[in-house]
Amino acid sequence: GQSLEQPSEVTAVEGAIVQINCTYQTSGFYGLSWYQQHDGGAPTFLSYNALDGLEETGRFSSFLSRSDSYGYLLLQELQMKDSASYFCAVQTGANNLFFGTGTRLTVIP
Amino acid sequence: SQTIHQWPATLVQPVGSPLSLECTVEGTSNPNLYWYRQAAGRGLQLLFYSVGIGQISSEVPQNLSASRPQDRQFILSSKKLLLSDSGFYLCAWSVPGTGGGYTFGSGTRLTVV
């Protein structure tokens, strides 16, 4: 089976940096993805890591350590609009993407 | 550009009634298609995926079924809804052979009463 763990809630100040961690246990592993979901909306794709290391896309960065079964999403220069739920998701096969339960990020002034 | 359409946006159905949710993708060929369900405040649960017309894989045994009658059309159905079928249903597509980057439709919020 698969299991993913991420914090349920995180609060951070506008302009600050926040890191959302994700640990996983899966029977197969192709890569780790991150998605953002605003209340009532659909998830939107942020990043994908198949290899160890850091991927940077603007204010967002994602890191993967396959040996530690661990990854994180780093959000810099937080803005109020970043308040949302963030999901890590493990691709366990060519067509299987399994999601964690999500981290609700609240950005405060 | 590719777009994904999902309808209806909201649906209230009585227990025991049938269900049909439709999803279509435009601007791409032979996409992988997926149905996910999200319970309130929870993560996304993969229900079905399809790699081609008529090819359906079920991840969770349940009261639902899926069909892919055309390359870019994916349908989620039930013959008799249960209260536990309530949730936010999301269709998604991806390019075969690529990693992790799914594009989701806007979702259908189903309430079974």
Side-chain angles (χ1 to χ4, degrees):
Chain A
Q2 295 82 20
S3 70
L4 293 93
E5 289 190 15
Q6 52 181 129
S8 58
E9 295 182 352
V10 172
T11 300
V13 178
E14 189 176 15
I17 299 173
V18 71
Q19 178 174 314
I20 299 174
N21 298 321
C22 175
T23 57
Y24 59 87
Q25 287 187 325
T26 61
S27 54
F29 183 83
Y30 281 47
L32 185 70
S33 301
W34 289 92
Y35 286 77
Q36 178 192 61
Q37 185 181 31
H38 287 97
D39 285 347
T44 56
F45 173 71
L46 294 177
S47 67
Y48 176 72
N49 295 67
L51 302 175
D52 288 357
L54 190 68
E55 296 279 345
E56 297 181 62
T57 308
R59 295 187 297 113
F60 293 2
S61 303
S62 57
F63 172 82
L64 174 65
S65 169
R66 294 176 68 125
S67 60
D68 294 325
S69 298
Y70 163 76
Y72 66 72
L73 179 70
L74 191 73
L75 296 82
Q76 303 182 71
E77 301 173 17
L78 280 173
Q79 302 175 10
M80 298 301 290
K81 67 178 182 179
D82 296 329
S83 291
S85 292
Y86 292 84
F87 294 87
C88 60
V90 172
Q91 187 164 3
T92 62
N95 305 298
N96 301 68
L97 190 65
F98 286 92
F99 285 75
T101 53
T103 298
R104 187 172 187 86
L105 170 65
T106 302
V107 180
I108 58 176
Chain B
S1 63
Q2 301 91 359
T3 56
I4 179 168
H5 302 280
Q6 189 180 340
W7 66 93
T10 59
L11 193 59
V12 180
Q13 291 285 101
V15 169
S17 64
L19 173 74
S20 180
L21 303 180
E22 189 164 344
C23 171
T24 60
V25 180
E26 295 178 358
T28 187
S29 296
N30 196 32
N32 286 347
L33 296 172
Y34 310 86
W35 279 110
Y36 282 84
R37 177 170 61 198
Q38 185 176 32
R42 302 294 300 277
L44 285 78
Q45 180 186 36
L46 178 63
L47 302 176
F48 301 95
Y49 70 87
S50 172
V51 300
I53 296 174
Q55 300 179 60
I56 308 295
S57 295
S58 173
E59 288 297 309
V60 182
Q62 59 214 314
N63 186 38
L64 303 169
S65 62
S67 62
R68 184 170 178 174
Q70 300 180 43
D71 180 45
R72 289 167 288 182
Q73 183 185 28
F74 205 22
I75 298 172
L76 183 70
S77 303
S78 173
K79 292 182 179 178
K80 289 185 178 182
L81 284 169
L82 307 172
L83 287 175
S84 57
D85 292 324
S86 293
F88 191 40
Y89 288 82
L90 291 151
C91 179
W93 75 274
S94 69
V95 176
T98 61
Y102 289 15
T103 301
F104 284 84
S106 55
T108 296
R109 194 162 303 280
L110 172 66
T111 303
V112 182
V113 296

